[in-house]
Coordinates of all heavy atoms in Angstrom, one line a residue:
I199 N 208.6 -237.2 -116.4 CA 207.5 -237.4 -117.2 C 206.8 -236.1 -117.5 O 206.4 -235.8 -118.6 CB 206.5 -238.5 -116.5 CG1 207.1 -239.8 -116.5 CG2 205.2 -238.5 -117.3 CD1 206.4 -240.8 -115.7
K200 N 206.5 -235.3 -116.4 CA 205.8 -234.1 -116.6 C 206.7 -233.1 -117.4 O 206.1 -232.3 -118.2 CB 205.5 -233.5 -115.2 CG 204.5 -234.2 -114.4 CD 203.2 -234.2 -115.1 CE 202.1 -234.9 -114.3 NZ 200.8 -235.0 -115.1
S201 N 208.0 -233.2 -117.3 CA 208.9 -232.3 -118.1 C 208.8 -232.6 -119.6 O 208.8 -231.7 -120.4 CB 210.3 -232.4 -117.6 OG 210.4 -232.0 -116.2
D202 N 208.7 -233.9 -119.9 CA 208.6 -234.4 -121.3 C 207.3 -233.8 -121.9 O 207.2 -233.4 -123.0 CB 208.7 -235.9 -121.4 CG 210.1 -236.4 -121.6 OD1 210.8 -235.7 -122.3 OD2 210.4 -237.5 -121.1
E203 N 206.2 -233.9 -121.1 CA 204.9 -233.5 -121.5 C 204.9 -232.0 -121.8 O 204.4 -231.5 -122.8 CB 203.8 -233.8 -120.5 CG 203.6 -235.3 -120.4 CD 202.7 -235.6 -119.2 OE1 202.3 -234.7 -118.5 OE2 202.3 -236.8 -119.0
W204 N 205.6 -231.2 -120.9 CA 205.7 -229.8 -121.0 C 206.5 -229.4 -122.3 O 206.1 -228.5 -123.0 CB 206.4 -229.2 -119.7 CG 206.9 -227.8 -119.8 CD1 206.1 -226.7 -119.8 CD2 208.2 -227.4 -119.8 NE1 206.9 -225.6 -119.8 CE2 208.2 -226.0 -119.8 CE3 209.4 -228.1 -119.7 CZ2 209.4 -225.2 -119.8 CZ3 210.6 -227.3 -119.7 CH2 210.6 -225.9 -119.7
F205 N 207.5 -230.1 -122.5 CA 208.3 -229.8 -123.7 C 207.5 -230.0 -125.0 O 207.5 -229.1 -125.9 CB 209.6 -230.6 -123.8 CG 210.4 -230.3 -125.0 CD1 211.3 -229.2 -125.0 CD2 210.2 -231.0 -126.2 CE1 212.0 -228.9 -126.2 CE2 210.9 -230.7 -127.4 CZ 211.8 -229.6 -127.3
K206 N 206.8 -231.1 -125.1 CA 205.9 -231.3 -126.2 C 204.9 -230.2 -126.5 O 204.7 -229.9 -127.6 CB 205.2 -232.7 -126.1 CG 206.2 -233.9 -126.2 CD 205.5 -235.2 -125.9 CE 206.4 -236.4 -125.9 NZ 205.8 -237.7 -125.6
Q207 N 204.4 -229.6 -125.4 CA 203.5 -228.6 -125.6 C 204.1 -227.3 -126.1 O 203.4 -226.5 -126.7 CB 202.8 -228.2 -124.2 CG 201.9 -229.3 -123.7 CD 201.4 -229.0 -122.3 OE1 202.1 -228.5 -121.5 NE2 200.2 -229.4 -122.0
N208 N 205.4 -227.2 -125.9 CA 206.1 -225.9 -126.3 C 207.2 -226.2 -127.3 O 208.1 -225.4 -127.6 CB 206.8 -225.3 -125.1 CG 205.7 -224.8 -124.1 OD1 205.2 -223.7 -124.2 ND2 205.5 -225.6 -123.0
E209 N 207.2 -227.4 -128.0 CA 208.3 -227.8 -128.8 C 208.5 -226.8 -130.0 O 209.7 -226.5 -130.3 CB 207.9 -229.2 -129.4 CG 209.0 -229.7 -130.3 CD 208.8 -231.2 -130.7 OE1 207.8 -231.8 -130.3 OE2 209.6 -231.7 -131.5
E210 N 207.5 -226.4 -130.6 CA 207.7 -225.5 -131.8 C 208.4 -224.2 -131.3 O 209.3 -223.7 -132.0 CB 206.3 -225.1 -132.4 CG 206.4 -224.2 -133.6 CD 205.1 -224.0 -134.3 OE1 204.1 -224.6 -133.9 OE2 205.1 -223.2 -135.2
E211 N 208.0 -223.7 -130.2 CA 208.7 -222.4 -129.7 C 210.1 -222.7 -129.3 O 211.0 -221.9 -129.7 CB 207.9 -221.9 -128.5 CG 208.5 -220.5 -128.0 CD 207.6 -219.9 -126.9 OE1 206.6 -220.6 -126.5 OE2 207.9 -218.8 -126.5
F212 N 210.4 -223.8 -128.7 CA 211.8 -224.1 -128.3 C 212.7 -224.3 -129.5 O 213.9 -224.1 -129.4 CB 211.8 -225.3 -127.3 CG 211.5 -224.9 -125.9 CD1 210.5 -225.6 -125.2 CD2 212.3 -224.0 -125.2 CE1 210.2 -225.3 -123.9 CE2 212.0 -223.7 -123.9 CZ 211.0 -224.3 -123.2
T213 N 212.1 -224.8 -130.5 CA 213.0 -225.1 -131.7 C 213.7 -223.9 -132.2 O 214.8 -223.9 -132.8 CB 212.1 -225.7 -132.8 OG1 211.4 -226.8 -132.4 CG2 212.9 -226.0 -134.1
N214 N 213.1 -222.7 -132.0 CA 213.6 -221.4 -132.6 C 214.6 -220.7 -131.6 O 215.0 -219.6 -131.8 CB 212.5 -220.5 -132.9 CG 211.6 -221.1 -134.0 OD1 212.1 -221.6 -135.0 ND2 210.3 -221.0 -133.9
C215 N 214.8 -221.4 -130.4 CA 215.7 -220.7 -129.4 C 217.1 -220.7 -129.8 O 217.7 -221.8 -130.1 CB 215.5 -221.4 -128.1 SG 216.5 -220.8 -126.7

Side-chain angles (χ1 to χ4, degrees):
I199 292 169
K200 292 298 182 182
S201 300
D202 268 326
E203 294 173 354
W204 167 68
F205 180 84
K206 290 177 183 177
Q207 292 175 324
N208 294 279
E209 182 172 357
E210 183 176 353
E211 184 175 4
F212 277 125
T213 303
N214 298 315
C215 178

